Amino acid sequence: MAFINLKKKEVQVKIVYYGPGRGGKTTNLEYIFKKFQERIKSDMVSIKTHGDRTLYFDFFPFDIGKIKGYDIKVNLYTVPGQVKYNATRRLVLQGVDGVVFVADSMALRREHNFLSLKNLQENLAAYNKNIFKIPLVLQYNKRDLAKQGIQLLTIERMEKDLNSKLKVPSFGASAMSGENVVPTLKKIISIAVASLHKELK
Amino acid sequence: MEYGFGQKELDRVESILKEELIDIGVNVTLLIDMAGNIIARCDDGNCQHDLYSLAALAAGNFGAVNAMAQIVGEENFTLLFHKGESESIHFSKVEDDFLLITIFGNDVSLGFLRLRVEEVAKKIKDSLLYKTMLLANLLDSESDAD
Ligand SMILES: Nc1nc2c(ncn2[C@@H]2O[C@H](COP(=O)(O)OP(=O)(O)O)[C@@H](O)[C@H]2O)c(=O)[nH]1
Ligand SMILES: [Mg+2]
């Protein structure tokens, strides 16, 4: 649950980028970090293996300014996507306020997307959270690869595969070029903040 | 989360942190939740550390250590201590949902600090409110502000 300090008028919101390994979660955070560097006072924390894969999480806090008079601090996290790191992945989800699910558009990775989304549902359930209720945005990443002739799943296919029941906002994106990275972030923040507001009512 | 703090209780927690810890020479103290959010903080006025990242890592670290405890059949480890050249860091669990972090230099003895941390943890527990009370409390102060 987000933390609200009424006196300091400050809200801390935890957003987690989830998805299959190599889908582009870390690249999303790196893009956001570079793009807004002058507004982020910390370094990006990355706990990774020697092979440069995420071992635990990437993290940085992001001050997005005021909403309704409250200073909103968004703590952005990624999880390690590899199947064997489920214990740490679950730990990162503790107290999550919103999830961006980064799916891989490559046709070869279709199965990985399914499995990871199912794994998200299970891990949320471990904290008594429902994937149908938690603020969630889907991102279909790596759309740029179409130009290189790599076979991609169509957006319609991915919507059917992943979003037919969830019916949450979704974006085709390229974390590499930055296309739709910021709109994805803005969307999840606005949904998460709106849901907090409801919780307080 | 089952518990939380109202604004009045939070003010009380910050003054406890100051009187019991900062005033005996502790450099920084933070109360965080297991999600890595900072609930309350207090420092001696010359803290340059990136406390948000520290909180994220501390929550992750504590979560990992507790997961290890379960693997080896311990219920959990309630405190952790890391000693550095000039600054050391101490973590102590408060109920199941919070972590009290203190960073201190060589001028503070570990034994004394531990006693203080224990007392502080007790006092913090007394300031906890159940979530339903907390929400009522929040709504109260919301309407006060309007
Ligand atoms: N072409 C392309 N490659 C990407 C994109 N996003 C990530 N990648 C690459 O995919 C690999 C895995 O990305 P990473 O962010 O580490 O994935 P993570 O495991 O989800 O954190 C890296 O080599 C990235 O450069 C994208 O939008 N387009
Ligand atoms: Mg990664």
Side-chain angles (χ1 to χ4, degrees), chain A residues 7 12 42 56 73 94 200, chain B residues 11 34 38 50 52 60 139:
Chain A
K7 194 171 70 179
Q12 291 170 67
S42 331
Y56 201 155
K73 289 192 193 299
Q94 181 148 347
L200 286 181
Chain B
D11 290 344
M34 294 299 177
I38 297 179
D50 171 5
Y52 285 94
L139 292 174

Side-chain angles (χ1 to χ4, degrees), chain A residues 25-26 54 58 78-79:
Chain A
K25 300 176 292 295
T26 298
T54 307
D58 306 297
T78 68
V79 295

Side-chain angles (χ1 to χ4, degrees), chain A residues 20-27 54 141-142 144-145 173-176:
Chain A
R22 298 234 161 247
K25 300 176 292 295
T26 298
T27 311
T54 307
N141 190 31
K142 307 195 185 175
D144 61 289
L145 286 176
S174 166
M176 191 91 112

Side-chain angles (χ1 to χ4, degrees), chain B residues 65-78 93 96:
Chain B
V65 168
N66 271 334
M68 286 188 262
Q70 277 156 25
I71 290 171
V72 302
E74 280 291 323
E75 190 91 331
N76 54 48
F77 299 127
T78 51
K93 215 162 144 172
D96 278 338

Side-chain angles (χ1 to χ4, degrees), chain A residues 114-161:
Chain A
F114 280 132
L115 291 175
S116 178
L117 192 61
K118 190 156 167 283
N119 174 258
L120 170 63
Q121 179 169 15
E122 288 161 6
N123 281 337
L124 285 171
Y127 294 112
N128 295 318
K129 288 199 167 141
N130 184 337
I131 196 170
F132 290 99
K133 293 202 180 131
I134 193 161
L136 176 66
V137 170
L138 300 185
Q139 184 187 72
Y140 308 136
N141 190 31
K142 307 195 185 175
R143 299 315 298 180
D144 61 289
L145 286 176
K147 280 185 236 112
Q148 295 179 37
I150 291 173
Q151 205 198 341
L152 297 187
L153 300 159
T154 62
I155 296 282
E156 296 71 41
R157 179 76 262 160
M158 295 186 84
E159 279 283 299
K160 272 211 188 104
D161 276 359

